[in-house]
Amino acid sequence: MSYAFVFPGQGSQSVGMLAELAESHSQVQEVFTEASDTLGYDLWDVVQNDVDGKLNQTDITQPAMLASGIAVYRTLAAQKNLEPAFMTGHSLGEYTALVASGCMTLAQGIALVAERGKFMQSAVPAGQGAMAAVLGLEDEQVVAVCEKAEGIVEAVNFNSPGQVVIAGNKAAVDAVMELATEAGASRVVPLPVSVPSHCSLMKPAADRLAESLSGMELSMPSVPVLHNVNFNQAQSVDEIKELLVQQLYRPVQWVETVNSMKAQGVESLYELGPGKVLMGLNRRIDRKMGMKAVFDNASIEKALATL
């Protein structure tokens, strides 16, 4: 059976995630210890207790989600020889896939996404940007509605048929939410985020990310990694860096990414990391593909039985 690993992004985090898995599998604490050493603070304590409410702060959410995905991946890898046909991730999850595939080390990935979060937040101050999910319209309808609004607002996540996320200036996003409802959207849901990811407002952050990436020594992945921007694998380290830069201000093509894997023979997807967000999206993309969310002891055992 041909299978792929997919890693979730921001929005899947929750206080206490991976606690049960950490009690049974040493790989979880090992990953978080290395991540904490890289960051200079106790990331596991933030994830488990979130005393100061920082887990949803983007420069902390991103390393927390990356570490969580790698912890699940290494837990599986410690027990079974893994041979995925592809790896990929949604937004931040793309970085997790690159770490899992050996393109960058865990320490490199953790430091990079922490910087990425800071760059994103500084590009658009809190309160000035917004994101919303538009449900029940065709992709083209959402794009057309965005073009009608004044200010910057763009379709940025093509998550599944009938679910597109928009991002931009708060006033423009608010206007499109009303226009989308008038156009027949079944629901329009504002997202609890402080940064309008994957739209052109992120270009300043992308320029700073390019500077950080320029001096990094990366390797070609040991497993093909499909990128959000073009739903394809890069042919060089320089192309990987360029696609990561573009990903900050260009849309996440998740539907095309899943369809690309299916066209290349992938029969089943395993979502590694907290939550079941991608499993839900993937079911709407193609219900015939096998899908499992892997994040606790029970789901680890089920995954090991089928991999």
Side-chain angles (χ1 to χ4, degrees), residues 100-103 220-224:
S101 68
C103 173
M220 288 300 292
S222 60
V223 175

Side-chain angles (χ1 to χ4, degrees), residues 8-297:
Q10 292 188 77
S12 291
Q13 72 273 10
S14 62
V15 178
M17 60 187 182
L18 301 192
E20 182 200 60
L21 200 65
E23 292 178 358
S24 307
H25 301 280
S26 61
Q27 291 78 21
V28 179
Q29 284 295 349
E30 289 167 2
V31 167
F32 272 86
T33 296
E34 184 174 348
S36 297
D37 289 344
T38 300
L39 294 167
Y41 63 84
D42 191 339
L43 183 61
W44 182 250
D45 180 61
V46 174
V47 166
Q48 295 307 305
N49 302 305
D50 197 23
V51 175
D52 298 321
K54 292 182 178 180
L55 182 57
N56 291 331
Q57 189 175 303
T58 188
D59 61 315
I60 293 178
T61 306
Q62 294 192 37
M65 284 301 301
L66 190 152
S68 296
I70 294 300
V72 174
Y73 173 73
R74 290 187 179 176
T75 298
L76 284 175
Q79 300 176 73
K80 193 155 190 172
N81 182 35
L82 304 175
E83 297 180 339
F86 296 97
M87 292 184 184
T88 189
H90 189 284
S91 188
L92 179 277
E94 184 174 309
Y95 288 79
T96 316
L98 289 169
V99 172
S101 68
C103 173
M104 61 181 74
T105 66
L106 175 60
Q108 283 179 312
I110 290 291
L112 185 61
V113 299
E115 278 193 325
R116 179 178 182 264
K118 291 175 182 176
F119 296 159
M120 292 168 71
Q121 192 65 74
S122 64
V124 180
Q128 294 187 18
M131 299 181 75
V134 180
L135 309 179
L137 294 182
E138 298 292 328
D139 294 355
E140 296 77 12
Q141 290 178 284
V142 178
V143 172
V145 169
C146 287
E147 291 174 350
K148 292 180 181 179
E150 294 184 8
I152 295 175
V153 56
E154 300 157 12
V156 297
N157 291 359
F158 295 94
N159 284 337
S160 69
Q163 186 188 127
V164 178
V165 172
I166 60 173
N169 296 126
K170 188 177 187 308
V173 170
D174 290 343
V176 170
M177 290 175 67
E178 290 188 20
L179 291 170
T181 301
E182 293 170 4
S186 57
R187 288 178 67 201
V188 182
V189 183
L191 301 181
V193 297
S194 58
V195 173
S197 303
H198 306 295
C199 74
S200 55
L201 292 174
M202 287 292 106
K203 190 63 170 64
D207 292 340
R208 294 180 68 185
L209 182 67
E211 293 178 10
S212 294
L213 282 165
S214 65
M216 287 184 64
E217 291 189 12
L218 305 182
S219 303
M220 288 300 292
S222 60
V223 175
V225 172
L226 300 188
H227 294 268
N228 289 177
V229 169
N230 63 357
F231 44 94
N232 209 335
Q233 55 184 302
Q235 300 304 307
S236 68
V237 166
D238 286 343
E239 187 181 2
I240 290 172
K241 292 179 179 181
E242 178 56 31
L243 289 170
L244 289 177
V245 171
Q246 291 184 25
Q247 191 225 52
L248 261 185
Y249 62 90
R250 290 181 59 185
V252 172
Q253 300 286 354
W254 190 249
V255 175
E256 295 285 7
T257 300
V258 173
N259 286 336
S260 176
M261 290 187 288
K262 180 188 175 185
Q264 296 179 75
V266 171
E267 302 167 87
S268 191
L269 302 176
Y270 292 81
E271 178 179 2
L272 307 188
K276 302 179 181 179
V277 171
L278 298 185
M279 190 166 74
L281 296 180
N282 296 343
R283 280 178 172 162
R284 290 193 286 273
I285 296 169
D286 188 344
R287 294 192 66 86
K288 295 181 180 179
M289 291 186 79
M291 296 166 200
K292 289 182 174 62
V294 186
F295 56 90
D296 61 11
N297 289 329

